[in-house]
Amino acid sequence: MDFAKNLSAIRENIERVIVGKTAEVETALAALLAGGHVLLEDAPGTGKTMLAKTMARSLDVGFGRVQFTPDLLPSDIIGINLYNPKNVEFTLKKGPVFTNILLADEINRATPRTQSALLESMEERQVSIDGVTHKLEPPYFVIATQNPIETQGTFPLPEAQLDRFLAKLSLGYPSGEETVRILQGQGGAGVLDGLKAVIGGDELHMMMAHVKKIYMSADLARYIVELTEATRSHPHVALGVSVRGSMALMNMSKAWAAIRGRGYVIPDDVQALAERVFVHRMILRGGLKNNGGEVLAEILAKVKPPVENWDKRT
């Protein structure tokens, strides 16, 4: 398995559609390779759904989509046992959660009851229907979108659900020059229609296995713990990052190192991903949400990373 070759093929395929968002694309790929999930939060028309569809099209794996609405029921996501009067038996009708890549579009438009239907699948890769547990086939990757601007008729995700997302991304608007390229047909929906898968499920499994073997030193693990503890003691933070958040940053850092062609993690990997992994897990005092990035930047400046000649590691 040639990790670099497969990664390059996926990235180039995605960037045929998503123009000028290399860092965001790589972060989404890192979450996929680390075995986690991604929350895309941005204004309408910035390419959130397009990124999810493009990632799915680039991989020869199962894909499902759920358009979240206020009247959506948990059974619409996970499935339901239907009674068949002909054979006097109940038959499981599987929901869209039984797939490899699930697009949960506008997830904050569904009620908390329906949102919580994803909790078990995201954390344990299984769903329970009428007391029976059904395993989900790996890989299982949820990429959810939400619009932070339009709040009427929406239900903010609870902290327990936010904690299940490995990373939270915002694509933002493309630059003027990038927008010109999209208008000229060099990206966007027109290219998506003709997109083909570049790797299959077996190759993706091997890439994910490779990420797990990436080395992280004890000093860097301790650095992640110190960053985590700093979020809990910061005066502006009411609830800091959990142990799950520490593990998320570790796994994302390993994937980020692999994407950069290294077999080991360096402090730059941790620092590059800390905001996207930590901020959505922090609850600020006074209900403030927009200053999470500033708080984390302050923590990163205060907590010093371990010092070593990382470039000479093998």
Side-chain angles (χ1 to χ4, degrees), residues 201-304:
D202 291 340
E203 290 90 347
L204 180 58
H205 279 297
M206 288 188 283
M207 292 178 73
M208 295 173 74
H210 173 76
V211 166
K212 290 181 180 179
K213 297 177 182 178
I214 299 297
Y215 173 76
M216 173 178 280
S217 69
D219 287 340
L220 272 179
R222 193 171 295 109
Y223 177 51
I224 290 177
V225 172
E226 290 174 355
L227 290 174
T228 304
E229 292 177 341
T231 66
R232 301 170 188 168
S233 60
H234 195 282
H236 293 164
V237 180
L239 183 65
V241 177
S242 67
V243 176
R244 185 187 285 123
S246 301
M247 296 178 66
L249 184 54
M250 176 190 72
N251 293 331
M252 282 287 286
S253 298
K254 288 183 176 183
W256 196 255
I259 287 173
R260 266 138 190 77
R262 280 185 274 101
Y264 56 91
V265 179
I266 63 175
D268 287 352
D269 301 325
V270 177
Q271 293 168 346
L273 296 165
E275 180 175 350
R276 290 169 176 171
V277 175
F278 273 7
V279 169
H280 67 283
R281 292 179 160 90
M282 296 161 48
I283 300 177
L284 302 188
R285 297 190 185 278
L288 298 176
K289 293 184 178 181
N290 296 329
N291 294 326
E294 295 178 8
V295 169
L296 192 60
E298 183 181 323
I299 290 172
L300 286 170
K302 182 179 179 180
V303 180
K304 300 303 179 185

Side-chain angles (χ1 to χ4, degrees), residues 55-260:
M55 289 184 68
R57 288 277 184 93
S58 300
L59 307 169
D60 188 16
V61 295
F63 174 68
R65 175 179 178 174
V66 180
Q67 186 67 47
F68 280 67
T69 57
D71 61 348
L72 193 73
L73 298 175
S75 58
D76 295 327
I77 299 174
I78 64 174
I80 190 172
N81 284 314
L82 296 176
Y83 180 70
N84 188 339
K86 290 185 177 180
N87 53 17
V88 199
E89 290 181 350
F90 283 92
T91 303
L92 175 62
K93 181 183 178 183
K94 293 182 178 180
V97 75
F98 287 89
T99 189
N100 299 117
I101 297 180
L102 177 67
L103 169 57
D105 216 358
E106 296 189 282
I107 190 173
N108 58 331
R109 291 202 173 278
T111 62
R113 178 189 176 196
T114 302
Q115 292 173 1
S116 66
L118 282 176
L119 283 173
E120 183 181 10
S121 70
M122 292 174 67
E123 182 65 19
E124 302 174 48
R125 270 61 174 181
Q126 65 181 34
V127 293
S128 298
I129 304 174
D130 294 337
V132 179
T133 299
H134 303 270
K135 293 290 184 180
L136 300 176
E137 293 296 325
Y140 178 64
F141 178 60
V142 174
I143 181 165
T145 72
Q146 67 177 10
N147 173 10
I149 307 301
E150 187 180 344
T151 58
Q152 185 175 0
T154 62
F155 303 86
L157 293 176
E159 285 71 25
Q161 184 118 22
L162 286 172
D163 203 28
R164 261 65 172 188
F165 288 101
L166 209 60
K168 180 181 177 182
L169 302 180
S170 176
L171 292 177
Y173 291 113
S175 67
E177 192 60 37
E178 290 162 355
T179 304
V180 170
R181 289 174 56 194
I182 294 172
L183 294 179
Q184 291 180 327
Q186 299 178 34
V191 179
L192 177 63
D193 292 339
L195 213 61
K196 303 294 183 183
V198 292
I199 72 166
D202 291 340
E203 290 90 347
L204 180 58
H205 279 297
M206 288 188 283
M207 292 178 73
M208 295 173 74
H210 173 76
V211 166
K212 290 181 180 179
K213 297 177 182 178
I214 299 297
Y215 173 76
M216 173 178 280
S217 69
D219 287 340
L220 272 179
R222 193 171 295 109
Y223 177 51
I224 290 177
V225 172
E226 290 174 355
L227 290 174
T228 304
E229 292 177 341
T231 66
R232 301 170 188 168
S233 60
H234 195 282
H236 293 164
V237 180
L239 183 65
V241 177
S242 67
V243 176
R244 185 187 285 123
S246 301
M247 296 178 66
L249 184 54
M250 176 190 72
N251 293 331
M252 282 287 286
S253 298
K254 288 183 176 183
W256 196 255
I259 287 173
R260 266 138 190 77

Side-chain angles (χ1 to χ4, degrees), residues 19-73:
V19 178
K21 301 296 178 183
T22 300
E24 289 77 10
V25 168
E26 289 183 341
T27 305
L29 286 174
L32 169 64
L33 295 173
H37 313 285
V38 167
L39 177 62
L40 293 175
E41 183 179 84
D42 217 328
T46 52
K48 302 185 297 297
T49 303
M50 194 73 67
L51 174 59
K53 287 183 175 180
T54 306
M55 289 184 68
R57 288 277 184 93
S58 300
L59 307 169
D60 188 16
V61 295
F63 174 68
R65 175 179 178 174
V66 180
Q67 186 67 47
F68 280 67
T69 57
D71 61 348
L72 193 73
L73 298 175

